[in-house]
Amino acid sequence: MTASIYTQRSALRGKRMDFEQAQSQRKEDQESKERKEWLEQRRACYVALNIAIRQHRTAINDLLHGIRDGAASDELRADVAQTRRMYIERHAEAQMTGPPVKC
């Protein structure tokens, strides 16, 4: 009688340990997946920011060359304004997806 109770308890303890281990593994897998997704989103955000920075820099240089050559058109000015807006948007997005700042 005692042996069967002991066997039952051992089996239940083993099942509980297996369940807890599986639950822990699922949690680790989920956290790993979420971290990977966050890193991919962050990378895409920084790529977009770098593209915006380069486009804005190019637009500024084009305008400066236009001013120097006496051919600063409204189109060049509009391009600088447009690339500046895109830069500001991408910068704000990067700030929101960046790592948390410790105060």
Side-chain angles (χ1 to χ4, degrees), residues 7-93:
T7 303
Q8 236 178 356
R9 276 192 171 170
S10 294
L12 287 174
R13 186 178 311 128
K15 285 181 183 180
R16 184 175 53 235
M17 288 174 63
D18 288 345
F19 176 78
E20 289 171 357
Q21 185 177 9
Q23 189 176 24
S24 175
Q25 184 63 44
R26 281 192 302 272
K27 183 179 177 185
E28 285 179 26
D29 291 345
Q30 182 63 29
E31 288 172 355
S32 175
K33 179 183 173 187
E34 288 172 0
R35 177 153 174 75
K36 184 179 178 182
E37 289 172 357
W38 180 76
L39 288 172
E40 287 173 3
Q41 178 188 13
R42 187 171 162 198
R43 181 183 183 281
C45 182
Y46 283 121
V47 166
L49 175 61
N50 282 319
I51 290 169
I53 290 168
R54 290 171 192 251
Q55 288 174 339
H56 187 53
R57 182 173 162 232
T58 299
I60 289 172
N61 282 332
D62 290 347
L63 178 62
L64 290 175
H65 288 293
I67 290 170
R68 184 189 65 198
D69 298 338
S73 67
D74 289 339
E75 183 180 327
L76 288 175
R77 294 178 203 287
D79 193 32
V80 169
Q82 174 64 24
T83 58
R84 181 174 184 271
R85 279 191 297 274
M86 291 302 292
Y87 164 70
I88 290 169
E89 289 175 13
R90 298 298 167 253
H91 187 264
E93 193 176 324

